[in-house]
């Protein structure tokens, strides 16, 4: 571990700049922080195990206050012209640029991802704000031809109301902003329940947003925040006043949220587990394959929903790829993520460590062969107990642990033989369907992978890895990944309700389908 790592940031100065205090309140209606009195949540950094700051969590009465303020704000906010709302989001992007270094450092220190990834996450926030500004002038509908004379048909989109956002620890700020930037320009108001494992980044985001909203007289309640446990999330999911719940997390959590929202016929946007694979064909360019596979597997400590979990390698190049992977893993530097010389930082907490160790134990019990052994790192620089070694295991795709998403740096490798369709069948034979990739220089193979009979994932890449996505495209997956779409393309439509309009500008009242009715 580098001696310069611990001095990479001054966390006290970062917190002061972002307005995060030693003990914070865990609920806000926008410009007002509520005097919460719930359980105290102390945020410990997985980087060094030190307590950063604490939050008094929100209680159900605090949630009720935030919801009522959001309802009141929606009545006003939805009347603002969309380009006006876009201008507010443009200013938010500028404010995020101003605070990018500090917020990126806090993301890295509280969550454990590398500093470059922390800064990159804030850049995603800036990018989605820029996207939303343009979108604010493009909330388009279609015009259709009516079958009736002197009639015009068209469709338009209206804001839904309150959007409830439940986010995970691994992207503690970007996913929130993926939702809010679009929802706000659409005329919605938002209530955010962040992960209890990363509450301080949420408070920082709320305070940055407050600066912008206060300067633009945005109604109090447009940006709500409640920090707390599963009970708050359950309450939000069951609340009929919240027409849309956007939830990011495990498949188990998503099934619970989806059932609760579905029971009241609400709308849900679910971004759940991934079990992402890269297919490596005989024509693959190995100098591209190895960096893409390694970063996909170990980046963010293997805690991305798009992390590479499986490599499906053609048997003719299997030994060569395996040898290159083992060599690359031997060069990985594990340590403080704020030191840019390190490749891999810690996992989020001790529970994640135990899950990682149990997964390695279980896959070996099923017959998996360890190529690069795992384990927990100890000694100077690893005092938090959250640093683990990225592992590689030869395994069968049908192993129970391979079918399961383990949120840790464990990479499973396996062979395929014959045509690329055999590899695609292996890739698709898991419950999840988020991200996928193929490494090939054969156009027939790449087209087969992208065809209707190819990858069944929401994201399918050619000659890049599974990890990471640009905000311009819709992000999400199929099967147990939940089917939701966030970020770019036409993902904005989920935050709105569609309405079909028919206008009769003639002097008679013809009925559709030629029906005659006289009195």
């Amino acid at each position: 571990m580098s001696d310069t790592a611990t001095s990479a940031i001054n966390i006290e100065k970062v917190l002061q700049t972002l307005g995060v205090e030693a003990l914070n309140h865990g609920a806000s209606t926008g410009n007002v922080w509520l005097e919460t009195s719930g359980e105290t949540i102390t945020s410990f950094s997985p980087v060094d195990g030190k307590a950063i700051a604490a939050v008094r969590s929100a209680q159900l009465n605090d949630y009720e206050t935030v919801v009522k303020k959001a309802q009141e704000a929606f009545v006003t906010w939805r009347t603002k012209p969309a380009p006006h709302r876009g201008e507010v989001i443009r200013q938010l992007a500028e404010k995020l640029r101003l605070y990018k270094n500090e917020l990126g450092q806090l993301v890295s220190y509280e969550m454990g991802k590398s500093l470059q990834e922390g800064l990159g996450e804030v850049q995603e926030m800036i990018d989605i704000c820029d996207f939303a500004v343009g979108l604010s002038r493009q909330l388009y509908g279609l015009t259709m031809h009516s079958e009736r004379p002197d009639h015009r048909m068209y469709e338009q989109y209206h804001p839904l109301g309150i959007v409830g956002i439940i986010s995970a620890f691994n992207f503690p700020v970007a996913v929130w902003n993926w939702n809010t930037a679009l929802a706000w320009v659409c005329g919605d108001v938002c209530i955010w329940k962040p992960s209890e494992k990363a509450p301080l980044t949420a408070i920082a985001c709320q305070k940055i947003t407050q600066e912008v909203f206060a300067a633009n007289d945005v109604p109090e309640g447009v940006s709500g925040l409640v920090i707390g446990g599963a009970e708050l999330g359950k309450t939000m999911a069951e609340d009929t006043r919240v027409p849309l719940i956007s939830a990011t997390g495990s498949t188990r959590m998503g099934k619970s949220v989806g059932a609760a929202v579905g029971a009241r016929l609400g709308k849900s946007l679910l971004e759940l587990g991934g079990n992402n694979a890269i297919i490596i064909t005989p024509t693959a360019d190995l100098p591209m394959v190895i960096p893409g596979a390694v970063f996909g597997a170990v980046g963010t400590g293997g805690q991305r929903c798009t992390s590479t979990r499986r490599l499906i390698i053609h048997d003719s190049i299997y030994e060569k790829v395996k040898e290159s992977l083992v060599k690359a893993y031997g060069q990985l530097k594990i340590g403080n993520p704020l030191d840019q010389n390190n490749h891999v930082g810690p996992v989020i907490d001790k529970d994640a460590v135990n899950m990682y160790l149990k997964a390695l134990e279980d896959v070996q019990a099923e017959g998996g062969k360890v190529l690069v052994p795992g384990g927990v790192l100890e000694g100077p620089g690893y005092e938090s107990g959250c640093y683990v070694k990225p592992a590689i295991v030869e395994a069968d795709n049908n192993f129970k642990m391979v079918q399961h998403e383990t949120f840790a740096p464990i990479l499973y490798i396996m062979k395929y033989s014959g045509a690329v369709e055999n590899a695609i069948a292996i890739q698709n034979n898991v419950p999840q369907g988020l991200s996928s990739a193929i490494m090939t220089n054969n156009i027939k193979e790449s087209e087969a992978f992208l065809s209707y009979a190819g990858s069944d994932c929401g994201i399918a890449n050619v000659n890049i890895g599974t990890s990471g996505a640009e905000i311009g495209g819709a992000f999400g997956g199929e099967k147990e990944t939940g089917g939701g779409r966030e970020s770019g393309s036409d993902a904005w439509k989920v935050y709105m309700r569609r309405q079909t309009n028919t206008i009769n500008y003639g002097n008679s009242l013809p009925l559709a389908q030629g029906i005659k009715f006289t009195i």
Side-chain angles (χ1 to χ4, degrees), residues 51 94 102 116 134 145 154 158 182 218 265 280 294 297 319 322 335-336 373 441 463 471 491 502:
E94 292 304 308
E102 289 82 4
Q116 282 304 109
H145 288 280
Y154 70 98
H158 299 296
L182 300 190
V218 173
L265 297 181
I280 304 174
V294 174
E319 293 300 326
K322 182 171 73 171
N336 189 316
N441 286 320
N463 290 333
I471 61 93
T502 305

Side-chain angles (χ1 to χ4, degrees), residues 202-432:
I203 290 169
C205 287
Q206 184 74 349
K207 295 204 170 187
I208 292 169
T209 304
Q210 284 176 337
E211 290 186 34
V212 177
F213 281 19
N216 287 274
D217 295 322
V218 173
E220 183 186 346
V222 172
S223 178
L225 173 69
V226 287
I227 296 174
E231 185 64 25
L232 278 178
K234 181 176 183 292
T235 299
M236 185 184 289
E238 295 174 348
D239 193 341
T240 57
R241 297 169 296 179
V242 184
L244 172 65
I245 296 291
S246 175
T248 303
S250 68
T251 296
R252 177 188 57 80
M253 180 276 289
K255 287 181 177 179
S256 175
V257 169
V261 177
R264 60 178 174 87
L265 297 181
K267 297 174 68 175
S268 57
L269 192 171
L270 301 176
E271 298 289 355
L272 311 176
N275 196 345
N276 316 296
I278 299 177
I279 296 171
I280 304 174
T281 75
T283 65
D285 187 343
L286 291 189
M288 292 173 62
V289 167
I290 301 304
V294 174
F295 174 76
V298 308
T300 322
Q303 297 171 117
R304 292 183 177 219
C305 52
T306 56
S307 290
T308 305
R309 309 286 176 202
R310 299 173 294 147
L311 293 186
I312 305 167
I313 309 165
H314 195 271
D315 55 11
S316 65
I317 57 170
Y318 182 81
E319 293 300 326
K320 184 176 182 180
V321 173
K322 182 171 73 171
E323 180 182 344
S324 297
L325 280 170
V326 171
K327 182 178 179 181
Y329 268 56
Q331 298 170 1
L332 291 175
K333 296 178 181 178
I334 307 167
N336 189 316
L338 299 167
D339 180 351
Q340 297 185 46
N341 293 314
N342 292 323
H343 301 103
V344 186
V347 294
I348 186 66
D349 56 22
K350 296 288 184 62
D351 288 341
V353 172
N354 293 333
M355 180 181 65
Y356 154 87
L357 293 173
K358 183 70 164 54
L360 283 174
E361 179 184 329
D362 288 351
V363 76
Q364 289 179 78
E366 290 186 87
K369 179 183 177 183
V370 175
L371 295 177
V372 176
V376 182
L377 292 169
E378 299 176 343
Y382 305 119
E383 290 86 357
S384 70
C386 296
Y387 291 87
V388 301
K389 300 176 184 177
I392 301 177
V393 181
E394 285 185 297
D396 188 282
N397 196 64
N398 292 318
F399 285 176
K400 180 179 178 181
M401 286 310 302
V402 177
Q403 292 282 310
H404 175 75
E405 180 194 38
T406 301
F407 232 48
I410 302 174
L411 178 65
Y412 302 117
I413 68 171
M414 57 201 70
K415 296 178 184 178
Y416 81 95
S417 58
V420 72
E421 286 77 10
N422 297 330
I424 294 170
I426 294 171
Q427 178 209 276
N428 292 346
N429 187 27
V430 292
Q432 310 83 0

Side-chain angles (χ1 to χ4, degrees), residues 135 137-142 155-157 489-490 492-493:
L135 178 65
R137 295 180 183 270
Q138 301 180 66
L139 299 173
Y140 53 82
L142 297 175
E155 65 179 20
Q156 59 181 333
Y157 289 83
S489 185
D490 65 350
W492 61 270
K493 291 181 179 179

Side-chain angles (χ1 to χ4, degrees), residues 22-26 38-42 53-57 199-200 203 227:
L23 183 59
N24 304 269
H25 292 293
E39 177 186 359
T40 298
I41 300 171
T42 301
V55 181
R56 288 194 185 98
S57 61
L200 304 181
I203 290 169
I227 296 174

Side-chain angles (χ1 to χ4, degrees), residues 22-300:
L23 183 59
N24 304 269
H25 292 293
S28 170
T29 59
N31 297 333
V32 175
W33 288 87
L34 306 182
E35 295 287 329
T36 52
S37 57
E39 177 186 359
T40 298
I41 300 171
T42 301
S43 181
F44 292 92
S45 172
V47 174
D48 54 21
K50 295 179 180 178
I52 311 171
V55 181
R56 288 194 185 98
S57 61
Q59 296 182 306
L60 293 180
N61 62 306
D62 301 313
Y63 170 79
E64 190 66 24
T65 299
V66 172
V67 170
K68 287 180 178 178
K69 279 295 181 183
Q71 287 181 301
E72 294 171 8
F74 176 58
V75 174
T76 303
W77 183 243
R78 67 185 177 183
T79 67
K80 304 292 184 184
H84 170 86
R85 299 190 296 254
E87 168 58 19
V88 176
I89 304 309
R90 185 195 67 78
Q91 293 179 36
L92 178 60
E94 292 304 308
K95 193 67 72 172
L96 288 169
R97 287 182 173 93
L98 181 65
Y99 287 113
K100 178 178 176 179
N101 285 337
E102 289 82 4
L103 185 55
Q105 289 169 356
L106 181 57
V107 167
S108 179
Y109 189 63
E110 185 175 35
M111 184 267 151
K113 64 175 59 178
S114 74
L115 179 57
Q116 282 304 109
E117 289 182 88
L119 295 170
E121 184 170 347
V122 180
Q123 185 62 48
E124 281 192 40
M125 301 172 75
I126 295 166
D127 292 344
I128 195 63
C129 285
D130 288 348
F131 179 90
V133 173
L135 178 65
S136 68
R137 295 180 183 270
Q138 301 180 66
L139 299 173
Y140 53 82
L142 297 175
T143 298
M144 290 78 72
H145 288 280
S146 173
E147 66 182 49
R148 291 170 283 189
D150 300 330
H151 281 60
R152 181 166 67 89
M153 292 178 63
Y154 70 98
E155 65 179 20
Q156 59 181 333
Y157 289 83
H158 299 296
L160 281 172
I162 300 175
V163 175
I165 302 166
I166 301 172
S167 63
F169 73 86
N170 59 332
F171 279 84
V173 296
V175 170
W176 165 74
N177 207 196
W178 282 5
N179 285 274
T180 54
L182 300 190
W184 285 331
V185 298
C186 288
D188 296 316
V189 298
C190 299
I191 299 175
W192 181 20
K193 194 202 90 63
S195 169
E196 313 95 285
K197 297 183 179 183
L200 304 181
T201 50
I203 290 169
C205 287
Q206 184 74 349
K207 295 204 170 187
I208 292 169
T209 304
Q210 284 176 337
E211 290 186 34
V212 177
F213 281 19
N216 287 274
D217 295 322
V218 173
E220 183 186 346
V222 172
S223 178
L225 173 69
V226 287
I227 296 174
E231 185 64 25
L232 278 178
K234 181 176 183 292
T235 299
M236 185 184 289
E238 295 174 348
D239 193 341
T240 57
R241 297 169 296 179
V242 184
L244 172 65
I245 296 291
S246 175
T248 303
S250 68
T251 296
R252 177 188 57 80
M253 180 276 289
K255 287 181 177 179
S256 175
V257 169
V261 177
R264 60 178 174 87
L265 297 181
K267 297 174 68 175
S268 57
L269 192 171
L270 301 176
E271 298 289 355
L272 311 176
N275 196 345
N276 316 296
I278 299 177
I279 296 171
I280 304 174
T281 75
T283 65
D285 187 343
L286 291 189
M288 292 173 62
V289 167
I290 301 304
V294 174
F295 174 76
V298 308
T300 322

